[in-house]
Amino acid sequence: MGRRDEHAVSRRQALRLAGTGLGLAVLGAGTWGCTPEEDTSASGGGTTPGEGKGGDTNKGRDTFTTPPPGTAPKPLWQQKAANENLAGIHALAVFGDMVVVSGDPLVGRDVVSGKEKWSRSGVTIPGAKLITGGGTLYLASAEYDGDVVGLDPATGKETWRSRLGKEYEQPRPIAADDRHVYVLAGILEEDLSSPTNVIAAIDTTSGKIAWREKRDKGTEEFGITATVVGGRLAYTDFRKNVTVRDTTTGRQLWTKKIGRSNYYRFAVHEDLMIVPDGQRLRAFALAAGTERWSLANEKATWFNDPQVLDGVLYASDSAFGMWAVDPTTGKQIWRNEDLVGSAAEAWQFAKVGGTLYGATEHDKNGGVHAFDAATGKLRWTYNDNTGENQKWYVVPAGKRLAAMHAERLYALPAV
């Protein structure tokens, strides 16, 4: 089935329940913005400097000021978030002027005011990845009935629903584009086990299966990180595989073994797929899998998950160094060692203007780091002082930065 009205959707009985799968571092003389202790209600919004308390978000939407170099900001607003820390890099997403956190309820908030715009309870499974393509947010159904649902990120309303088939267990979206939503699902046996699994593409217009390919026996259903680029579906998994398929036919173009599991993210740039592999960053040609370049780190120091932003590849390493690399050639642009000796390696990045932001894996001595993108110099570090030893997340949102830590969502000035 294809797109239809939310109220026309019939709910089916679940087949079976399947498993899902430093303090605030003030580097300068002061702080900036409203205080992080100023709590706001779950449905109300914090007051952004320049905005009235009456909630008119059209007034002074961008009238806030940002701190000078060496001064850590404070949030423009903060709200509670139902973050379960299960969705990895897909736990926080920005769609236009809406910020969404994976959890139950699923809530859409205005990035300027922090006000709740919509809320949906019981719509998806715990730890669901926020996968978007063609303007639709795709999620696995909370009813464990084999359905994949599509929501309008602006309203939270269901606009699409399909299913892979009753012989498959709990399809989970892993990537999407304008034509397909790509899902992974176990193949159910008579004893309800699923020793094998498939990767499939569902047509986003008709809701019908475009193709499905059985994966090798022993491959896991979980631990998949995927992206779509140039007519190819590229993904990695916990079993140290790097694989690329044709998005039209599902045909596997190539697969390679690497030496270290890829947990969260790999990078793509033009015709290259760039993967962290222990002490090296390795770039493979998307078309054929040929290794184009390799960048080595120091002995016993491994690279973390890279991102390409505005044509530059950024990555941290296990010695808490930060790297900027030319993604075409693999040549180092700069390396920052300001954080060496601090347990605060960045695992997720965002870039706004000339500033690179890095969210850290753990809280102590971490939070959100701001670097000069041209030189790599550390400008400041923001931390909420909650003591929660959980990952930070960061996503650009216009002139703001959406940042999340534990069950708190913040907006930080980013220009």
Side-chain angles (χ1 to χ4, degrees):
M1 68 185 75
R3 297 182 182 275
R4 55 173 160 163
D5 185 80
E6 169 187 19
H7 302 293
V9 176
S10 60
R11 300 289 185 180
R12 288 178 285 278
Q13 192 70 20
L15 293 176
R16 72 186 183 97
L17 185 63
T20 64
L22 61 228
L24 176 62
V26 181
L27 304 179
T31 55
W32 217 263
C34 60
T35 66
E37 292 80 12
E38 290 173 354
D39 225 346
T40 50
S41 66
S43 60
T47 301
T48 300
E51 292 179 354
K53 293 185 178 180
D56 182 359
T57 59
N58 290 317
K59 290 184 179 180
R61 287 179 71 89
D62 292 313
T63 58
F64 61 83
T65 56
T66 53
T71 304
K74 287 190 177 182
L76 301 170
W77 55 259
Q78 71 175 48
Q79 294 284 6
K80 292 183 179 179
N83 172 35
E84 300 158 334
N85 283 288
L86 297 174
I89 61 174
H90 298 288
L92 176 66
V94 171
F95 308 97
D97 60 357
M98 196 74 62
V99 58
V100 181
V101 175
S102 175
D104 191 14
L106 201 65
V107 177
R109 295 189 179 276
D110 182 274
V111 297
V112 173
S113 66
K115 290 185 176 181
E116 181 183 299
K117 293 297 184 180
W118 57 263
S119 178
R120 293 287 307 275
S121 296
V123 70
T124 190
I125 62 173
K129 296 181 178 181
L130 302 177
I131 301 296
T132 182
T136 299
L137 174 61
Y138 295 101
L139 303 158
S141 169
E143 297 179 19
Y144 297 93
D145 53 6
D147 279 10
V148 177
V149 298
L151 306 183
D152 178 355
T155 64
K157 292 182 179 180
E158 184 178 312
T159 58
W160 187 91
R161 179 176 286 255
S162 184
R163 70 179 329 186
L164 194 60
K166 63 182 180 181
E167 68 269 35
Y168 299 103
E169 175 201 45
Q170 193 190 333
R172 294 172 301 284
I174 58 172
D177 55 24
D178 291 345
R179 297 172 56 202
H180 302 133
V181 53
Y182 304 91
V183 301
L184 191 72
I187 302 174
L188 281 172
E189 304 291 345
E190 289 185 1
D191 61 358
L192 296 183
S193 67
S194 55
T196 55
N197 59 86
V198 297
I199 192 165
I202 302 175
D203 189 285
T204 55
T205 299
S206 67
K208 295 180 180 179
I209 299 171
W211 54 260
R212 57 187 154 198
E213 294 289 331
K214 187 175 181 180
R215 300 178 70 219
D216 295 338
K217 189 172 183 179
T219 54
E220 298 177 7
E221 295 180 47
F222 302 93
I224 302 292
T225 299
T227 192
V228 185
V229 56
R232 297 177 178 91
L233 175 66
Y235 57 94
T236 59
D237 60 39
F238 283 175
R239 287 187 178 265
K240 306 177 183 179
N241 297 305
V242 180
T243 306
V244 175
R245 293 181 181 272
D246 183 278
T247 58
T248 301
T249 65
R251 181 174 64 92
Q252 182 171 294
L253 301 177
W254 58 269
T255 187
K256 287 182 179 292
K257 282 282 186 183
I258 58 175
R260 182 170 176 258
S261 294
N262 186 64
Y263 290 98
Y264 297 120
R265 186 193 300 271
F266 55 87
V268 292
H269 176 70
E270 297 177 348
D271 63 340
L272 295 178
M273 178 180 184
I274 305 164
V275 180
D277 187 3
Q279 294 172 215
R280 295 186 295 159
L281 286 174
R282 303 174 68 186
F284 301 102
L286 278 165
T290 307
E291 186 166 337
R292 293 278 189 83
W293 60 257
S294 175
L295 177 64
N297 207 329
E298 298 171 355
K299 187 176 181 179
T301 301
W302 60 88
F303 283 104
N304 297 313
D305 313 287
Q307 280 179 256
V308 173
L309 303 171
D310 292 344
V312 177
L313 183 144
Y314 300 101
S316 66
D317 63 34
S318 61
F320 317 118
M322 271 288 301
W323 297 69
V325 176
D326 183 329
T328 302
T329 64
K331 293 183 178 179
Q332 176 183 323
I333 298 173
W334 53 254
R335 184 182 181 188
N336 176 296
E337 297 183 354
D338 291 348
L339 300 176
V340 171
S342 301
E345 56 197 275
W347 77 290
Q348 189 177 44
F349 302 101
K351 187 172 179 288
V352 181
T355 303
L356 173 71
Y357 300 93
T360 67
E361 181 83 19
H362 300 292
D363 180 65
K364 186 180 180 181
N365 298 331
V368 177
H369 298 309
F371 304 91
D372 184 304
T375 66
K377 183 178 180 181
L378 181 65
R379 296 181 59 193
W380 48 258
T381 297
Y382 168 75
N383 192 292
D384 58 10
N385 281 334
T386 62
E388 296 283 353
N389 193 29
Q390 297 182 31
K391 292 183 182 71
W392 283 80
Y393 301 77
V394 64
V395 177
K399 295 181 179 181
R400 292 162 173 79
L401 204 64
M404 183 169 67
H405 181 221
E407 296 183 351
R408 293 192 178 197
L409 178 65
Y410 306 95
L412 301 177
V415 292

